[in-house]
Amino acid sequence: MREQRQEPADEAAISIRMLDIPASRVQDPRAQVYIVDHLKPGTTINRRAEVQNTSGATQKVEFYSGAASVENNAFAVPEGRTGNELSGWIRLKTAAIELDPGERRPVEVEIAVPKKASKGERYAAIWAQVTSATERTGNVTQIHRVGIRVYLDVGPGGEPPTDFRIDGLAAEPGTGEFPVVTAEVTNTGERALDMTGTLSLTKAAVQAGPFKVTNGVTILPGQRGQVRIEVNQALPAGTWEVHAKLASGTVERTATGTIVLPVAAPMTVATGTGPSWLVYTVGGFALLVLVTLGGWYLVRRQRAQLA
């Protein structure tokens, strides 16, 4: 019988980050934390990641690639070492290493796309994993793993475009004491989006924010997702001008509107007359040429084998 549960972030035994960023993507925040690329069939690339032992004990670290997908507007990875087509193209040139406390070391990654690979974007993850010794009491084995996302588009010619639009802004009560501003985003490009961004509020001479996007949303081409931004600050009641700046990689869009605080009930987008707390306008779009997640994409799990 197996039991699985999330572990607190401060129990991390190892961490991993990207070392190599292609010159063409050096300005892309996503490429600094993930492997994001477009390759023609038959192409092979090499990247390096760096793994560090963040614990106080020597750790044996194993490396492997695994499947990933985008489901319900989230980047999803299965438990265990389940693979998919893309993970089968990835080779970690180091199978396992031992790291002393605080030691860090680079790991080489090779991605070889078959000549007959079909067109389209694929998803995978590169994992570094530590397995603890089985405890005598309870017969429990702990597995810590940290990973880097891989977004690989395959096809002839240049890279497909990344683009999105903000279809509306609205405000609603949050789960705690602060309200939440939501943005409906439609992926109008041909690559998956990882939404980041900020929200600022203005009322006369008073400014509040910026408040950061509080939910990690990944949106597939042609699909919609909701970005949520918690206004985690007590603000005076009244009408506020809202300015949202959302991005995925180097592509950025803005939207503006108005809300009335406090928010008393869930709200929807409106384009005409109605209650004053609805958001009426979306505009001011602008194009500039990840989260980032603190520079690292961390996933940890604990598996318990119960006798």
Side-chain angles (χ1 to χ4, degrees), residues 193-256:
L193 304 171
D194 283 313
M195 301 307 304
T196 61
T198 59
L199 175 83
S200 298
L201 300 176
T202 304
K203 176 181 171 63
V206 179
Q207 294 186 343
F211 306 101
K212 293 184 178 181
V213 170
T214 49
N215 63 327
V217 180
T218 302
I219 308 173
L220 289 172
Q223 296 190 8
R224 299 180 66 185
Q226 186 182 80
V227 175
R228 297 174 64 84
I229 304 172
E230 183 182 32
V231 182
N232 56 353
Q233 178 181 338
L235 298 174
T239 301
W240 289 81
E241 297 293 328
V242 180
H243 180 87
K245 181 166 61 175
L246 304 180
S248 178
T250 59
V251 178
E252 182 179 280
R253 296 285 182 268
T254 63
T256 59

Side-chain angles (χ1 to χ4, degrees), residues 74-296:
F75 192 89
V77 294
E79 293 290 340
R81 301 197 180 194
T82 303
N84 62 6
E85 184 181 32
L86 176 54
S87 69
W89 301 347
I90 300 173
R91 184 168 72 93
L92 282 299
K93 296 186 179 181
T94 302
I97 57 175
E98 282 198 358
L99 295 177
D100 293 330
E103 184 179 4
R104 60 183 71 195
R105 197 176 302 176
V107 178
E108 295 186 29
V109 180
E110 179 185 273
I111 304 178
V113 181
K115 292 183 179 180
K116 295 185 178 180
S118 60
K119 177 180 172 62
E121 188 173 46
R122 296 163 172 83
Y123 314 103
I126 295 170
W127 294 107
Q129 177 173 299
V130 170
T131 304
S132 71
T134 303
E135 299 178 4
R136 295 181 180 179
T137 57
N139 194 30
V140 175
T141 299
Q142 294 184 340
I143 296 177
H144 304 254
R145 65 175 185 172
V146 294
I148 293 173
R149 303 184 189 191
V150 182
Y151 297 78
L152 183 65
D153 183 77
V154 175
E159 181 170 354
T162 295
D163 204 356
F164 66 91
R165 70 172 183 264
I166 304 173
D167 292 317
L169 297 171
E172 62 184 48
T175 56
E177 61 177 310
F178 300 114
V180 171
V181 174
T182 64
E184 296 296 327
V185 174
T186 299
N187 186 340
T188 59
E190 299 177 30
R191 300 286 314 255
L193 304 171
D194 283 313
M195 301 307 304
T196 61
T198 59
L199 175 83
S200 298
L201 300 176
T202 304
K203 176 181 171 63
V206 179
Q207 294 186 343
F211 306 101
K212 293 184 178 181
V213 170
T214 49
N215 63 327
V217 180
T218 302
I219 308 173
L220 289 172
Q223 296 190 8
R224 299 180 66 185
Q226 186 182 80
V227 175
R228 297 174 64 84
I229 304 172
E230 183 182 32
V231 182
N232 56 353
Q233 178 181 338
L235 298 174
T239 301
W240 289 81
E241 297 293 328
V242 180
H243 180 87
K245 181 166 61 175
L246 304 180
S248 178
T250 59
V251 178
E252 182 179 280
R253 296 285 182 268
T254 63
T256 59
T258 60
I259 61 173
V260 170
L261 298 177
V263 178
M267 281 157 280
T268 58
V269 177
T271 56
T273 59
S276 60
W277 38 256
L278 293 183
V279 173
Y280 290 93
T281 61
V282 175
F285 293 108
L287 173 63
L288 305 181
V289 171
L290 126 149
V291 137
T292 67
L293 301 179
W296 307 43

